[in-house]
């Protein structure tokens, strides 16, 4: 995924089907300078972490 699309998904009120390493995630924030996204798994909202935007997959 690219930064622009990740930001669009993060800004949207509609939940998108996005995964990181096969795990459904929610994008909380996109860091354009580092090309990373702050995400959490949908089934573990307390487990936030940063991942490379390029590793996110939209389905």
């Amino acid at each position: 995924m690219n930064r622009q699309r990740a930001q669009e998904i993060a800004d949207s009120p509609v939940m998108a089907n996005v995964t990181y390493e096969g795990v459904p995630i929610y994008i909380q924030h996109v860091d354009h300078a580092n090309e990373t996204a702050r995400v959490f798994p949908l089934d573990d909202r307390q487990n936030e972490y940063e991942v490379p935007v390029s590793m996110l997959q939209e389905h």
Side-chain angles (χ1 to χ4, degrees), residues 15-20 23-27 39-42 49 56:
M15 179 70 81
N17 185 3
V18 179
T19 60
Y20 173 69
V23 176
I25 56 94
Y26 179 82
I27 301 172
V39 303
F40 60 78
L42 296 180
Y49 46 92
L56 299 176

Side-chain angles (χ1 to χ4, degrees), residues 6-14 27:
Q7 187 65 60
E8 290 170 0
I9 291 170
D11 291 342
S12 174
V14 177
I27 301 172

Side-chain angles (χ1 to χ4, degrees), residues 15 26 28 39-49:
M15 179 70 81
Y26 179 82
Q28 247 186 331
V39 303
F40 60 78
L42 296 180
D43 64 353
D44 187 6
R45 295 175 185 253
Q46 302 302 316
N47 185 20
E48 295 180 13
Y49 46 92

Side-chain angles (χ1 to χ4, degrees), residues 1-11 30 32 35 53:
M1 178 176 299
N2 65 43
R3 279 185 317 201
Q4 175 79 22
R5 182 61 183 141
Q7 187 65 60
E8 290 170 0
I9 291 170
D11 291 342
V30 178
H32 291 273
E35 296 198 21
V53 170

